[in-house]
Every structure is written in C-alpha cells, then in structure tokens.
Amino acid sequence: MNPLILLLVLGAEPLAPALPAPKEDVLLYEGPSEASRDPAAYVITPYAPGDKPVLAVDEANLRGSASIDAPVVRTLRLGSPVEVLEVATGPVLVKDRVDRWYRVRTQEAEPKEGFVLGNVLTKLVATRDLDGDGQEERLAVSFTSDFMVRMRVLEPELATRRKRAVAALDFLMPEREGKRGGRARLVPVASGDFGLELSPRAVGLELCADSCVVHAVRYEARKGTLGELSVPPEVRTGMTFYSRPRKSFTLNLQRESMGRGPDELIRCGVIGKTRGGPSSGKEVLSCLVRWSAKSGPDPDALYPSYYLMEPLRRLTRLPSASSFKRYSSYAEDVDDKLQRAGYYVQEDLTLDAIPGLLPPQVLYADARGRILLRWRSNRDYVRSDVEVAFVHPTLGTVMMTRPGVEDARFDVVDGLRSNGFFIPEPDGGYLHYAYQRGFSDQEVEWKVEHPKDAAYTLLQQGNCQRQKSVDPAPSDVREEDLEVVGEVKGAGPLLALKQSTHPEMARAWQEWNETRSGSGAERYESQEAFFQSRPRLFWRDSFGRLLRLRRADVDPPCMAEPIVYFYPERRMRVRYTLAPSVRVALAEPRARGNAWTFLATPQGLLEQEAPGGGRRIFAHLFWEGTSMRFAPPARGVCVPGPRTSGFLREVLPRLGLLPQELEDFVAAWAPRMEGAAFHVIGFHPREVVDELAPVEVSPPPAHMIRILMDATPVETCPALTAPEEPSEVPARTGFTVVEWGGVLREGH
C-alpha cells in the first residue's frame, strides 16, 4: 500500500495509540486545496510513545489536558526536548490546524507531564553555531496552519536576557494538484548544487509535493543580536544569476515611425546560467524594453526578452511568459535589432520555459485570496521600504511593504510602498505582485442588514490604476472598535466599526463629499446614513494584516484607456480638450492642462514636435482618468469570459468601429476579461459619456463617435434588460473623430 494512503487511513481513526513513527526525520502536513473542516481529509506527522521530538515553536504551552482551553502547566522554549507518552486523540481541528494531541514529559531536571498539539512538535532540529559567533543556536522546522514551512532559530543568550530571541522564515510549498502541503526534511547542501559559493554553515531544507525543491538557508547575526534567516538571492529553480549583468550593451528601438510612441533604448546583458535540464550551464541574455505609459499602471513597466547564448553569436529565443503576452508585440522588434547588431536569432519550439526565469501569474493562493502579477517595474528597488514575506519555491525570496512605510511617504506610483509583494530582478527593477480577493454579496454570510448586491474591494483607488495593492487599516482602528458583521466563506470574519462617529468614518464621509455623484449613483443626506450603508469594512488576510475594504461604488470608476483616432480630410492642426472635471491619470502623448495639440493627417497619424527638434508620430491619442461616481448602464448582457473577444467583434462594428479600431479594442480589453466566469457588459449612451468626460475638439468634427464600455465581473448571470439595438451605423463622412474606452470596476 502507498504509505501516503496508509497515513490517510490512520488519520481517520478517532484514537490511534500505536501509530508508527516516520522511518526518517520528515514532517508531513497535507490537506485539500479547498478549506475543509474534516480532520480525516488531512495527512499529518505521527508520533508514537517513546519518540523524543522537540518543540518547534517558542513559548509553547504544555497543558493539563487535551484541550486548547486547559490550564497551562508549563511554557517551553523552542528546541526543548520532550518524550511522547501517549497518543491522546485522533486528528482534531483546533482553530485552523488539524493535528493530534499527545501526552508528553519534558526532559529536564524536574520533568513535567502535560499535553501538546502535534503541530508544535518536530524532529527537524539542529543545534550548532549557525552564524560563526562561537555560540550554538537552536534551529527547528514546522508546518504552519496554512501549509507553509516555517524555520525558526533561537538565540539562547538573548532568551536568558528576556529579549526577542527567535528569527523565523516561511517557505511556500511547491504546487500540488488538488492538495496543499507535502513533506519537509533537512538535507546537506554543497556549493556545487547551486553554482555559487555557499557558507559552510548553510542548512539545506528539502520541500516535496508533486516535485521537490531544495533551499540553502543561512543565518547571519552579529554577536549579541538577533540575526536573519535568508536564502541566496542569486539562486532560483533552474537559474543561478550573476550579481550584476555582464557584457552589457544597448540597442535603439525606433517606434516613432510605427506610430507607437518615442524611441526607446533596449538594455541587454548576460544575467546568469541555467541549472539543470537539457540547456544546463548555458548563459542567458536578457533584453529589456520599457513599455509606454498607456499599457499599464506603471509608466516604467518593462518587457523582457530572454535568449540562450550559443556559440558563434547565435541566440535561441526562450518562450515568452504568459504573464507578459500583452507586451509581445515588441518581441520581433528586439529580435530584429539583435540581428542587425550581428547576432543570429533562432527559435526552438521544443524548448521549455526555464523555471525561475519567467514569473508565474499566481504567486500564492489559499482560501483567503491570491497574489497576482501586476507588472515588472523599472523603478529602483529600495530595500529599506520592504521586509521578507516568504520564500517562493521557484523565485526565491518574496518581499512585502514594511508596515508604516506607506504612511510616512506613500507615492501612488511607487509600487514598493503600495502594500504589495516584490521580487527584485537580476537585470534591474522588480516584479510587482498584488494581493487580490473579491467580496461579492454571494461570498459573504451577513449577520446584519447590508446594501443589496454590495461588492467590496481591497484596493485603495487613487486615480485609475494608480493605487495601493491593499489598504491596511489606519492605526486608530483598534480591535475594540470593531464588531463582526459577516463571514467570508472559508476566509474568516468581516468586521465593521461600531460607532458612526469614529474618526475613520468621518474621513470616509469627507472623501465621499469631495467627489461628485453622477447618473444613477447613490446619495446620502448625513454621515449617519452613510455609515448605515457600510462603506468601510475590515478583514484579515493570509498574512495577518488587518485590511480596510472599500465598497466598490464609493470611488469614482476609472475611464480606462480611451483611445482617440482623428481622420481629417486634409492635414490640419487639431486641439482636443477635456473639461477640468476630468482628472487625467495617464496620457500619451502627454497633455498640457487637459489639452492636446497636434497635426492630424488623413492617414490617421498624429504629429507633434519633439523636445530638441524633430517630430514624434502617434497612431492615436490615449488618456485615462476619473471624473465622478456613476452607475453601470441600466441595460446590458451577460457574457462568459472566454466569449469576450467574439462578443466584442459582433457588437463593435454596429457601434461604428472600423476593423483596425476593433482589433485595437479587442487587444486592449479581451485579455483583461477572459479569465472571469462572466461579465455584465453594457455601453453608456452618448449623453452619459458627454456628462462623464466633456470634451471640445477644435476645429469641430463633422462626426464624433464616443464608445464607453462598462463591464462588471460576476460569478453567475443576473436578470438583465437587453440593450436597444442601434438603428444605424454612425456616419463617418468629413472630419471624423472616434473614441473608445472602458470602465474598470471591482474585479479587473
């Protein structure tokens, strides 16, 4: 019988007084992907009478009986040995952890007997000088309730002085189909395993699920101080990076002639060597292009192209990351420039992506939420703004915004202060991931009256996509100020302020009044009425942070990526001016005030004078921004996510778009929407668009088409009123201006 199946069978017994101990020093903790309160669904490390594990946590409570509420007999330090006397219970659920209760006896001058839950025990221990200071530290490894592996180190000298004495580092397990968790053990490591020189005091930690990964963990500290656990930043699965790129050079990407914005320099350099697989030992060339502002929330986002270095100046292009498909239009441009520089670029369709080189779309996921890739930033990586979150099995150390940094000097464009998750890249900049979780009415079991069909977001809206990844509760919101108002299915309680006079509610009311309300938006007569609508809720994420939830309709929606085409009958100077009520967040070309002036040609190109002389050529004008709160259209259709592209291709020609305009629209919006189960999609009438974004074009066009799509992601389709079919396709004779865009609501 498979030993894992045997453990599952044993785990289902209510009492198991004679469970066999593991044949090797391994830890087991495995459970279903979906949160389950059935203890029989979990595989856990068994201990048998006579086993002598140690305490894996510091200040663990030895209790008088097998209950979390039993009196404490003694508090034990990390690394304290105990002897198992009895398996007191079968697997039980205690808070968020499934394990067995054991009756144990301490191994000290005056032994004490009592009960501990198995999650505080481990056989993965080491007592040695880990930092070279001449004193021995205690190291222990255990599983957390959320299936991470936690390594802790205790500094005994600091513990005797009652100072903070334990350093810890969490490791995310490799992926497992349908399961979470797996097994862990300590293993020897050598420098040759990773392609770089390791400290002789490094500890190897092997984590196995459907596959295995080994981390080389080091502990560094100055004598008399608590140190830090870390893994080498140069090491990822499948790659060992150089400390800085080698053989660097630049290429000029000429985009003006293509109407795609200003020229850019392509930065290229050799960033490291592959490790393992058929291409092991080959160097990797990275070429980075800065993406223009209109393509994402960070105007300095980067698009990487990677190549294997072959003899005789040959390059093999590596597969593009699915995460960066939206930028793939530049890949051929980079190939062409490399070939002009004397390289021969080839493609091997049989070549697999190299682990650790291309970022996964999902960095972490559990019942509470997911950490999703947003972009790769070109900005400086400021180490003082972040702290370690966990170690990823493929990408290595993942950082997160240090608490309090955003309060001191938060810049909505600077991702490091946005409460996100970050991974520095060897060739510059960093990957920016954001914690995401939806809070629709269907996901919450409410305990109080609440707005019907309310949806809440973790994001703090700034202006369109410039925002904090999540929004921690302000320091004056304390536990005693909050009460439970609902339960998120499988993800913990929702909290709300008890009093409408709390300073946080006063701030929310002030923010509400600073923004206009337009068509169909809610209105409130007083702060008390606003409070009753539950505009603010609070919730704890997977990392214990108390986060502020904002009702999705409180902030003005973003009019995202309006693209404007100009088709004059002859070359003419045109001025396009948005009303002051529109807050422009991003634009290309850049606006002066809320206005753009350029020379428009019959071919649809826009020409501007470039700084220092010369011309800049654009295929269209781009802007996005906010103006007021407004409701989705009263009429709409429910479209399955995978059918988004087909739906848009059916509808948009009837609204007046030509084939190239249609393709631009689909390319911009379909990738953002196809991952949802469904979207409720509507198009705002022209009079609403003019109210939301008043515009003046000089000279006035003979015809102006303005299309504003409004899409809201949903899990199931609601009852809807079908939109009216347009009576005829809009005319396009004479000087014609065409504008299309979309509204970003919660879930995008």
Side-chain angles (χ1 to χ4, degrees):
M1 176 181 276
N2 185 307
L4 211 54
I5 297 174
L6 177 61
L7 285 169
L8 279 167
V9 173
L10 293 171
E13 297 176 359
L15 291 174
L19 285 173
K23 293 184 178 181
E24 57 177 332
D25 290 343
V26 300
L27 283 183
L28 298 171
Y29 192 51
E30 179 189 283
S33 295
E34 299 297 325
S36 173
R37 303 185 68 83
D38 178 12
Y42 293 76
V43 177
I44 50 182
T45 303
Y47 297 97
D51 285 348
K52 294 183 178 179
V54 304
L55 272 297
V57 302
D58 197 39
E59 298 185 349
N61 290 323
L62 185 68
R63 298 189 179 274
S65 64
S67 169
I68 194 68
D69 299 318
V72 176
V73 175
R74 178 162 294 184
T75 300
L76 304 175
R77 305 272 356 197
L78 184 146
S80 300
V82 297
E83 180 181 357
V84 175
L85 303 176
E86 176 190 4
V87 183
T89 71
V92 293
L93 179 65
V94 179
K95 295 186 176 178
D96 294 329
R97 175 72 187 224
V98 172
D99 220 307
R100 301 177 180 90
W101 284 97
Y102 295 92
R103 185 167 66 88
V104 300
R105 180 169 53 227
T106 63
Q107 306 290 289
E108 51 191 343
E110 298 181 5
K112 287 284 187 180
E113 292 186 10
F115 295 81
V116 295
L117 196 64
N119 69 310
V120 304
L121 301 176
T122 186
K123 286 191 174 182
L124 303 188
V125 294
T127 301
R128 66 178 76 158
D129 182 4
L130 296 170
D131 55 5
D133 65 353
Q135 297 181 337
E136 289 187 336
E137 288 80 30
R138 298 180 194 169
L139 178 148
V141 177
S142 62
F143 272 96
T144 66
S145 60
D146 55 2
F147 300 95
M148 284 194 180
V149 169
R150 181 167 294 161
M151 180 179 286
R152 296 180 176 92
V153 169
L154 174 73
E155 287 276 8
E157 181 188 357
L158 296 180
T160 60
R161 290 189 274 156
R162 298 185 179 277
K163 291 188 175 182
R164 190 168 71 89
V166 176
L169 184 60
D170 287 347
F171 296 80
L172 186 64
M173 292 293 295
E175 291 184 4
R176 187 165 200 172
E177 188 67 31
K179 299 283 186 180
R180 300 188 66 206
R183 66 178 176 88
R185 64 175 182 148
L186 296 175
V187 296
V189 288
S191 296
D193 299 335
F194 299 94
L196 79 167
E197 192 67 29
L198 293 178
S199 165
R201 291 180 290 275
V203 176
L205 177 63
E206 181 186 75
L207 307 177
C208 293
D210 285 345
S211 60
C212 294
V213 61
V214 176
H215 296 285
V217 189
R218 60 192 177 196
Y219 176 73
E220 297 175 300
R222 296 191 304 273
K223 190 169 183 178
T225 64
L226 183 63
E228 289 186 348
L229 287 159
S230 64
V231 297
E234 304 91 346
V235 174
R236 294 185 187 174
T237 302
M239 284 292 302
T240 298
F241 294 106
Y242 300 139
S243 58
R244 61 176 58 87
R246 302 176 181 178
K247 308 174 188 175
S248 299
F249 59 92
T250 59
L251 303 168
N252 185 44
L253 179 60
Q254 295 175 318
R255 301 190 295 176
E256 287 193 0
S257 60
M258 297 176 285
R260 288 160 55 183
D263 290 357
E264 292 289 353
L265 287 179
I266 306 172
R267 302 200 319 260
C268 298
V270 179
I271 58 174
K273 290 184 177 182
T274 61
R275 197 176 68 253
S279 59
S280 183
K282 291 186 177 180
E283 289 189 311
V284 174
L285 176 71
S286 163
C287 289
L288 299 175
V289 180
R290 189 183 72 90
W291 188 254
S292 63
K294 78 179 187 63
S295 301
D298 187 343
D300 294 312
L302 294 174
Y303 163 64
S305 292
Y306 296 116
Y307 306 84
L308 286 178
M309 303 282 288
E310 311 282 3
L312 304 177
R313 294 179 69 83
R314 289 185 296 119
L315 301 174
T316 300
R317 177 147 52 89
L318 290 167
S320 296
S322 60
S323 314
F324 294 123
K325 277 183 179 177
R326 60 188 296 191
Y327 309 128
S328 60
S329 62
Y330 282 164
E332 293 182 2
D333 299 337
V334 177
D335 289 355
D336 178 66
K337 290 298 179 183
L338 285 169
Q339 293 190 113
R340 290 172 182 264
Y343 291 93
Y344 174 70
V345 180
Q346 61 189 4
E347 187 171 11
D348 184 350
L349 298 179
T350 67
L351 199 63
D352 293 329
I354 296 175
L357 187 60
L358 302 178
Q361 182 69 30
V362 180
L363 187 70
Y364 173 89
D366 64 13
R368 287 179 175 263
R370 300 187 299 167
I371 300 177
L372 303 180
L373 181 64
R374 293 185 70 191
W375 66 80
R376 176 170 171 175
S377 177
N378 189 33
R379 290 179 174 268
D380 292 335
Y381 182 76
V382 182
R383 180 63 176 83
S384 60
D385 285 348
V386 295
E387 64 183 15
V388 175
F390 57 88
V391 177
H392 188 271
T394 302
L395 300 180
T397 305
V398 178
M399 312 298 288
M400 61 192 294
T401 304
R402 188 183 298 276
V405 168
E406 70 282 3
D407 294 331
R409 49 195 181 106
F410 174 65
D411 178 348
V412 292
V413 179
D414 189 346
L416 291 177
R417 302 173 193 153
S418 70
N419 305 306
F421 294 82
F422 318 101
I423 301 168
E425 289 284 60
D427 43 352
Y430 55 86
L431 297 172
H432 184 162
Y433 283 82
Y435 192 91
Q436 293 191 13
R437 166 78 201 208
F439 294 88
S440 67
D441 210 28
Q442 293 78 19
E443 292 183 290
V444 179
E445 297 176 0
W446 293 95
K447 302 180 184 297
V448 297
E449 289 293 325
H450 65 282
K452 186 180 179 182
D453 297 326
Y456 290 82
T457 175
L458 289 168
L459 303 178
Q460 180 181 10
Q461 186 73 37
N463 189 5
C464 282
Q465 295 172 322
R466 297 181 171 190
Q467 58 204 357
K468 295 184 182 180
S469 300
V470 296
D471 192 18
S475 57
D476 58 0
V477 175
R478 300 162 297 182
E479 291 288 347
E480 55 266 32
D481 299 328
L482 303 171
E483 61 182 355
V484 176
V485 295
E487 188 81 17
V488 184
K489 294 176 183 176
L494 278 181
L495 308 168
L497 292 166
K498 296 176 182 177
Q499 303 294 331
S500 63
T501 54
H502 191 281
E504 166 65 5
M505 190 52 57
R507 290 190 292 267
W509 177 237
Q510 181 179 350
E511 289 176 17
W512 173 270
N513 286 305
E514 288 174 351
T515 302
R516 292 191 303 140
S517 294
S519 301
E522 294 284 350
R523 288 175 168 79
Y524 301 98
E525 299 300 324
S526 66
Q527 181 172 323
E528 178 63 31
F530 183 59
F531 171 76
Q532 294 300 328
S533 73
R534 305 288 179 187
R536 293 280 196 276
L537 295 176
F538 301 88
W539 173 79
R540 289 199 179 276
D541 71 358
S542 305
F543 302 89
R545 299 177 297 181
L546 182 63
L547 304 180
R548 178 166 50 184
L549 308 183
R550 304 163 73 91
R551 212 176 65 229
D553 61 350
V554 167
D555 293 312
C558 174
M559 293 175 284
E561 208 159 356
I563 298 295
V564 193
Y565 308 87
F566 297 83
Y567 302 104
E569 295 181 298
R570 55 180 176 79
R571 291 170 65 90
M572 65 167 60
R573 188 161 297 278
V574 177
R575 184 174 178 85
Y576 178 94
T577 307
L578 289 168
S581 59
V582 180
R583 297 176 58 210
V584 175
L586 296 172
E588 184 71 28
R590 295 188 177 183
R592 292 188 177 181
N594 264 13
W596 295 259
T597 302
F598 42 81
L599 189 68
T601 72
Q603 294 76 32
L605 296 178
L606 311 179
E607 298 180 8
Q608 268 193 344
E609 291 184 3
R615 294 180 306 166
R616 301 177 66 190
I617 300 175
F618 301 87
H620 44 64
L621 183 153
F622 152 81
W623 68 270
E624 65 183 21
T626 59
S627 62
M628 64 182 73
R629 283 182 291 268
F630 57 95
R635 297 170 177 263
V637 294
C638 188
V639 179
R643 280 212 65 243
T644 302
S645 178
F647 170 79
L648 294 176
R649 293 181 190 279
E650 292 173 11
V651 172
L652 293 173
R654 299 199 295 269
L655 299 180
L657 294 193
L658 295 180
Q660 185 57 56
E661 299 161 357
L662 167 63
E663 292 305 317
D664 291 347
F665 191 111
V666 172
W669 285 98
R672 311 186 199 188
M673 300 169 64
E674 288 174 341
F678 300 92
H679 275 88
V680 173
I681 300 177
F683 291 88
H684 287 283
R686 172 62 185 270
E687 60 269 20
V688 173
V689 180
D690 290 341
E691 177 192 10
L692 300 177
V695 65
E696 179 181 343
V697 181
S698 178
H703 298 282
M704 185 168 187
I705 299 170
R706 304 191 82 187
I707 299 171
L708 186 62
M709 179 185 72
D710 199 315
T712 302
V714 293
E715 292 299 319
T716 58
C717 287
L720 296 168
T721 302
E724 297 178 356
E725 289 289 329
S727 56
E728 58 183 2
V729 176
R732 299 179 62 126
T733 56
F735 176 28
T736 300
V737 177
V738 179
E739 178 185 84
W740 59 255
V743 173
L744 289 172
R745 295 194 185 268
E746 165 62 8
H748 282 271

